[in-house]
Amino acid sequence: MRAIVMGAGIGGLAATVSLRRAGWEVLLVERTRRFTEVGAGIQLAPNATRVLRRMGLLDAVAALATRPAGLSFCTWSDGAEICRYALGAEAEEAFGAPYLQLHRADLHRALAAAVPSRSVRLDTTVVGIGQDDTSAHVTTASGERLEADLVVAADGVRSASRRWLFGADEAVFSGTAAYRALLPAGEVAGLGLPEYAVWLGPDRHLVHYRVRRGDLLNVVAVFRTRSGRESWTARAEPGEPVREFAGWDARVVTVLERAGQVFRYGIHTRAPLARWHLGRVTLLGDSAHAMVPFQAQGAAQAIVDAAVLGDALTDVTPDEVPGALEGYVRRRLATATRVQADSARAGEDFHLPDGPEARARDARMAAHAAAHRFAPQAAAWAAGPADGPTAP
């Protein structure tokens, strides 16, 4: 059984590993010429780290990650703690897998190391997908036709495959953009920052946590805006983040002042779909369900997609592939769509103006934290027996 996976991001690599574990011969095609260290911090809740353990990759990933003991939500103006949730060993014991924070490149590197080089085709741009009753194929920009029993389109938020399968449907600008930066942890050691915190303010919020075994502080500062070009490499203008967050707690402003190189990117999503597959071709990850990152579940959902896809396609015949994809989508679509909606609602909640609504939100969050030990990011989709892979 042969599969072609399009896109060597987190979702595409995880799908390749999962399908190979299910006995498939996989060709992973990627349009870039080489893998580069793109992006910054990433968070993996137990629903994703459980899958990494199953793939035999958790130890390698965890060795480069941090395991936060807890998450604090703070007020923008003075850093007053709204509420705090447990993570760390407590969450790992409760959910059977750890909550990790790490550099995206470290996760990407661990996944890539699990894929043989002979299975990867870089500098290969796909310009079309086709299929018939017995096989599927992709056509490359060089005119080459690559055939397989299955095509998995993990080609990201700007997925061309999604358009080829289901018609015109463009990525949607969320109305928010983000500054992201990495600082040596020593540069902020004396500020008294919480270990892992989300600071909430009018039309803005800021997240910070440690990566690379705690050596670096990852900062993501989100703000409402009317324009936001989607780019991982576009740099913010000097002083721009400090101006955008002027008047915030002095510790936040100091972090932004010391950030040095700051990137700015517009946050885009995709509208929910009623189906992800057509015949022998399926979407996976951001191409199917790109979401705002306000519940730290974008990469995790792609990793779970990959695990469920591998489960669905274990021990199938070529004729059974379309039905197996139907099963994969049935197990995943409802949850991923719910996570999209929950993430969007979290953004609205985070950005309330000062006043009665924000005070009501703070009271609601405090009451929730008092009644529940674990942060929504860790708990909400940690078990997922209806759509997650069988626990190892």
Side-chain angles (χ1 to χ4, degrees), residues 58-59 62-63 65-70 87-89 92 98-101 195 210:
L58 181 57
D59 288 347
T66 58
R67 304 186 185 208
L87 288 171
E92 184 168 1
Y99 191 100
L100 300 181
Q101 295 170 329
E195 176 189 22
R210 304 291 180 89

Side-chain angles (χ1 to χ4, degrees), residues 5-384:
V5 176
M6 298 167 50
I10 301 299
L13 283 167
T16 300
V17 173
S18 186
L19 287 170
R20 283 175 49 80
R21 285 174 52 83
W24 284 67
E25 177 185 332
V26 185
L27 178 63
L28 175 62
V29 296
E30 164 62 36
R31 62 185 178 85
T32 59
R33 295 185 177 183
R34 60 188 178 91
F35 294 147
T36 57
E37 191 165 291
V38 174
I42 193 170
Q43 304 190 62
L44 296 178
N47 58 343
T49 56
R50 185 181 299 118
V51 172
L52 294 179
R53 176 187 288 136
R54 191 178 173 199
M55 291 177 173
L57 300 177
L58 181 57
D59 288 347
V61 171
L64 297 170
T66 58
R67 304 186 185 208
L71 161 63
S72 297
F73 284 89
C74 301
T75 302
W76 70 277
S77 56
D78 59 6
E81 188 172 81
I82 299 167
C83 64
R84 189 178 189 279
Y85 290 98
L87 288 171
E90 292 181 67
E92 184 168 1
E93 182 179 354
F95 303 121
Y99 191 100
L100 300 181
Q101 295 170 329
L102 66 159
H103 197 295
R104 179 180 291 268
D106 294 337
L107 174 60
H108 191 273
R109 194 175 297 114
L111 289 166
V115 178
S117 58
R118 67 178 182 276
S119 298
V120 181
R121 287 266 304 263
L122 299 176
D123 197 19
T124 302
T125 300
V126 173
V127 296
I129 300 175
Q131 61 180 312
D132 56 31
D133 291 340
T134 60
S135 67
H137 68 269
V138 302
T139 304
T140 71
S142 65
E144 189 177 9
R145 177 179 165 125
L146 305 173
E147 294 195 0
D149 300 291
L150 162 73
V151 172
V152 179
D155 49 347
V157 66
R158 297 286 182 183
S159 172
S161 304
R162 177 169 166 146
R163 184 171 64 253
W164 296 334
L165 290 176
F166 302 117
D169 173 20
E170 298 302 322
V172 178
F173 176 53
S174 67
T176 56
Y179 302 114
R180 61 178 178 85
L182 288 167
L183 295 79
E187 291 192 10
V188 296
L191 296 182
L193 292 170
E195 176 189 22
Y196 167 29
V198 182
W199 303 65
L200 307 183
D203 294 329
R204 294 161 182 78
H205 76 277
L206 184 141
V207 183
H208 60 72
Y209 54 86
R210 304 291 180 89
V211 300
R212 291 261 164 93
R213 304 187 189 93
D215 292 340
L216 297 174
L217 183 75
N218 182 70
V219 180
V220 181
V222 179
F223 58 100
R224 292 193 185 277
T225 179
R226 294 183 179 179
S227 62
R229 181 165 66 95
E230 185 205 354
S231 171
W232 281 104
T233 58
R235 296 189 182 186
E237 294 294 328
E240 180 185 345
V242 174
R243 292 192 297 272
E244 193 68 46
F245 284 78
W248 279 51
D249 184 285
R251 290 170 290 175
V252 168
V253 175
T254 300
V255 166
L256 294 174
E257 287 174 340
R258 296 179 182 177
Q261 182 171 269
V262 179
F263 296 92
R264 171 180 171 154
Y265 65 98
I267 299 171
H268 289 70
T269 66
R270 299 303 296 252
L273 288 170
R275 60 184 304 183
W276 297 350
H277 86 291
L278 187 64
R280 297 174 174 274
V281 183
T282 189
L283 304 177
L284 181 144
D286 281 352
S287 66
H289 48 69
M291 61 190 71
V292 292
F294 306 151
Q295 291 284 278
Q297 273 290 311
Q301 290 297 305
I303 290 169
V304 176
D305 284 353
V308 174
L309 181 69
D311 281 357
L313 289 161
T314 299
D315 296 328
V316 299
T317 66
D319 289 344
E320 292 171 332
V321 169
L325 292 181
E326 183 75 36
Y328 152 68
V329 175
R330 185 168 57 249
R331 290 176 64 187
R332 286 295 301 138
L333 188 144
T335 294
T337 301
R338 186 172 75 249
V339 176
Q340 280 183 295
D342 286 351
S343 297
R345 279 193 294 270
E348 295 172 1
D349 220 27
F350 289 175
H351 297 163
L352 290 173
D354 286 342
E357 286 184 290
R359 289 194 293 273
R361 174 203 62 202
D362 294 352
R364 185 173 66 250
M365 293 177 67
H368 184 275
H372 302 83
R373 281 193 299 164
F374 302 112
Q377 288 95 319
W381 307 281

